[in-house]
Amino acid sequence: MTNKFKTLSTLLALLPLLTTALPSPRQSSNKLKFTGINIAGFDFGCNSDGSCTASAAWPPLTKYYGADGQGQMTHFVKDDGFNLFRLPVGWQFLLNNVQGGPVVESNLQEYDDLVQACLSTGASCIIDIHNYARWDRGIIGQGGPTDDEFAATWATIAAKYKNESKIIFGMYGPSVSLSSSSLTLNDSMNEPHDVPDINRWAQSVQAAVTAIRNAGATTQMILLPGNNWTSAETFVSNGSAAALSTVKNPDGSITNLIFDVHKYLDSDNSGTHADCVTNNIDTAWAPLATWLRQNTRQALNTETGGGNTDSCVQFMCEQIAFQAANADVFLGYVGWAAGNFLPGSYVLGETPTQNVASGSWSDTLLVQKCLAPVAGAQSG
């Protein structure tokens, strides 16, 4: 044996020892904690100015002549691997159109049918009041409903679900002025907007957080939305991150207080176009990841989506892969939207189609190729 092969043989023999002695590289699970879908219907009739027609709420459940929301969620969990659903509902529906009034028990019970259908799948469920920080154009704490009225609604909801570990409370928040092209958002979208004082909004959020915790819901996550349609791209620059960082639990901690951010992939972040033009990484997710890491905070992307087109498949898969690679600060994503949107009828539709004869479900292109965890987008 030559000296060269003797040397190689010696190195190979030592390799297990060298591997043991060297420090292990930082490991990443490359796995987001939450992957989900919005189940729309109870928010129907709500507009971006905070006006809602309570009677237009349409429960996405067959017992109320809506879509089979329970079947959709069961499919999404069992066949696709999702573990989170966001359940938007109008404030006016819960209060039966009486500003400052109590939550109407019969209406809450109707909404609870959807919540229980969600919980029955084993998934986590976001209670999402969908009013853009408003009641009929009046901004909470800034000329519209008072902080106490806002907090009272959340106290009632929190008391009902205080023992449900898989409930997440999702507030709605404000935003700065946008160009007219951005004001064509679908009425069901819940980004907050045109609130003049983000620091004052943080006080309203604080009142709700305190009410939720004091009602006994001490361990669940609470989502804190920011300005400019709670856009991930401007969450830091418009002051939302700083203002909402002042919000604390009654014990002074920030445990389970998570920033709520949204980002669409079309040309104006409106979620109204079938084609996508960006993965949002350089302009939104990378800068936000840096800020979150530096400030020891986390965010959840509760609204994102695109058309069922090749461009959206490309960019959505890239966005998901980036978020998964930064899963220490990004908890996950929730696609918009399924529920009572008829298959094929809505530009951002994610409603699966059921084969009645076999009982099987067929997913839309974007869900099948990217959003569904089984698609593998998280690993790039």
Side-chain angles (χ1 to χ4, degrees):
M1 183 180 289
T2 65
N3 288 337
K4 178 174 67 174
F5 288 115
K6 286 180 180 178
T7 302
L8 178 59
S9 178
T10 301
L11 288 173
L12 289 172
L14 290 172
L15 186 57
L17 297 175
L18 291 171
T19 303
T20 301
L22 291 172
S24 299
R26 180 182 177 186
Q27 298 295 315
S28 172
S29 65
N30 200 34
K31 180 73 172 177
L32 294 166
K33 182 175 182 179
F34 294 113
T35 53
I37 298 286
N38 282 270
I39 305 297
F42 271 105
D43 56 310
F44 283 13
C46 290
N47 303 297
S48 59
D49 62 3
S51 62
C52 289
T53 302
S55 60
W58 186 17
L61 294 167
T62 55
K63 69 179 291 185
Y64 298 111
Y65 308 101
D68 185 5
Q70 181 157 12
Q72 291 178 27
M73 290 186 283
T74 299
H75 155 68
F76 283 137
V77 171
K78 180 181 177 182
D79 300 325
D80 292 337
F82 288 103
N83 64 359
L84 177 67
F85 298 105
R86 184 167 175 256
L87 313 174
V89 62
W91 197 5
Q92 281 90 333
F93 173 79
L94 293 174
L95 273 58
N96 204 29
N97 280 327
V98 179
Q99 181 181 333
V103 173
V104 176
E105 179 59 31
S106 60
N107 289 19
L108 180 57
Q109 184 56 52
E110 195 169 316
Y111 177 65
D112 182 62
D113 287 343
L114 182 64
V115 175
Q116 296 304 322
C118 176
L119 291 171
S120 73
T121 68
S124 294
C125 311
I126 301 174
I127 306 294
D128 169 45
I129 302 180
H130 227 66
N131 275 69
Y132 307 84
R134 289 161 164 74
W135 180 293
D136 292 344
R137 301 176 180 82
I139 299 171
I140 298 167
Q142 301 182 51
T146 66
D147 289 354
D148 287 344
E149 291 171 343
F150 182 44
T153 296
W154 278 112
T156 299
I157 292 172
K160 184 175 183 66
Y161 297 109
K162 64 183 179 181
N163 295 321
E164 293 285 357
S165 63
K166 291 195 172 184
I167 287 293
I168 298 171
F169 300 104
M171 269 169 236
Y172 45 87
S175 111
V176 296
S177 298
L178 297 174
S179 65
S180 59
S181 64
S182 295
L183 295 177
T184 60
L185 289 167
N186 183 282
D187 287 346
S188 300
M189 294 181 188
N190 134 30
E191 294 92 344
H193 63 91
D194 296 298
V195 172
D197 190 338
I198 186 60
N199 293 302
R200 182 64 186 84
W201 166 247
Q203 295 177 32
S204 298
V205 172
Q206 179 65 73
V209 167
T210 300
I212 290 170
R213 296 304 191 215
N214 287 345
T218 58
T219 60
Q220 293 92 337
M221 287 172 49
I222 302 176
L223 305 179
L224 314 178
N227 232 337
N228 194 22
W229 312 88
T230 202
S231 169
E233 185 170 346
T234 58
F235 197 81
V236 175
S237 63
N238 67 28
S240 297
L244 293 171
S245 292
T246 67
V247 177
K248 301 289 194 298
N249 292 309
D251 65 2
S253 73
I254 57 171
T255 304
N256 284 329
L257 299 183
I258 307 299
F259 293 139
D260 188 353
V261 294
H262 297 171
K263 202 73 178 81
Y264 288 89
L265 291 79
D266 54 0
S267 58
D268 59 0
N269 188 39
S270 68
T272 60
H273 305 94
D275 292 320
C276 296
V277 300
T278 177
N279 57 25
N280 295 309
I281 293 172
D282 292 340
T283 57
W285 299 118
L288 182 57
T290 297
W291 189 94
L292 292 169
R293 201 167 284 121
Q294 289 173 344
N295 291 274
T296 321
R297 298 303 295 256
Q298 293 178 313
L300 178 60
N301 179 16
T302 63
E303 269 193 36
T304 191
N308 290 292
T309 59
D310 290 341
S311 62
C312 292
V313 167
Q314 174 191 339
F315 290 123
M316 179 63 76
C317 285
E318 291 171 357
Q319 175 175 283
I320 289 172
F322 182 84
Q323 291 179 331
N326 292 271
D328 58 318
V329 292
F330 296 128
L331 295 183
Y333 60 85
V334 189
W336 183 271
N340 269 343
F341 290 116
L342 295 176
S345 66
Y346 172 47
V347 67
L348 300 191
E350 295 166 1
T351 305
T353 301
Q354 185 179 26
N355 183 318
V356 178
S358 66
S360 62
W361 296 81
S362 299
D363 285 316
T364 62
L365 179 68
L366 194 63
V367 171
Q368 180 184 356
K369 296 293 186 180
C370 288
L371 290 171
V374 295
Q378 291 188 53
S379 60

